[in-house]
Amino acid sequence: MPTRTSTAHWQGSLKEGSGEMRLASGAYQGSFSYLSRFESGEGTNPEELIAAAHAGCFSMALSNILGKAGVTPNSIETNATIHLDMPAGITKIELSTVGDVPGLDEADFVKYAEEAKANCPVSKALAAIEITLSAKLG
């Protein structure tokens, strides 16, 4: 399996400093700061990137599970919300997904979504954190 790399560069103190995060693929590069992480400043933050990774991983895992069940989704839209409560850190992740899956009923969609939540690699990596799921067909 491939390995993936990202980098971060930080300059200055925690509150007055600033940094930049980059994906090795070049697909994303963005600034971050104390304000963007803990308040409402411009830029991104590590938790936002974790949320994006989790939403993407979950959506792909769900698509794979649905395919193995013999159905192909038209689309899967997933939102991941991360709760950062200092000093505890990340305390909860809420996944919310809506699928457009012809030929599938709501109960089966929810069942497959729960399986994806339990088995996507990012969920497994974050297993020490409470992860909730809301799943429905749209």
Side-chain angles (χ1 to χ4, degrees), residues 78-100:
T78 304
N79 181 66
T81 302
I82 290 190
H83 295 259
L84 178 64
D85 299 317
M86 297 310 289
I90 297 172
T91 58
K92 182 178 182 179
I93 301 172
E94 296 172 308
L95 295 173
S96 176
T97 192
V98 177
D100 177 4

Side-chain angles (χ1 to χ4, degrees), residues 38-116:
F38 299 110
E39 296 179 15
S40 297
E42 289 187 31
T44 191
N45 55 70
E47 292 74 25
E48 185 175 51
L49 296 174
I50 291 169
H54 202 178
C57 182
F58 170 86
S59 295
M60 290 179 76
L62 180 53
S63 178
N64 182 49
I65 291 165
L66 291 168
K68 288 179 180 179
V71 292
T72 301
N74 288 331
S75 66
I76 298 168
E77 181 79 23
T78 304
N79 181 66
T81 302
I82 290 190
H83 295 259
L84 178 64
D85 299 317
M86 297 310 289
I90 297 172
T91 58
K92 182 178 182 179
I93 301 172
E94 296 172 308
L95 295 173
S96 176
T97 192
V98 177
D100 177 4
V101 189
L104 192 68
D105 66 32
E106 189 100 16
D108 282 339
F109 182 73
V110 170
K111 176 181 78 170
Y112 296 137
E114 287 289 348
E115 183 180 342

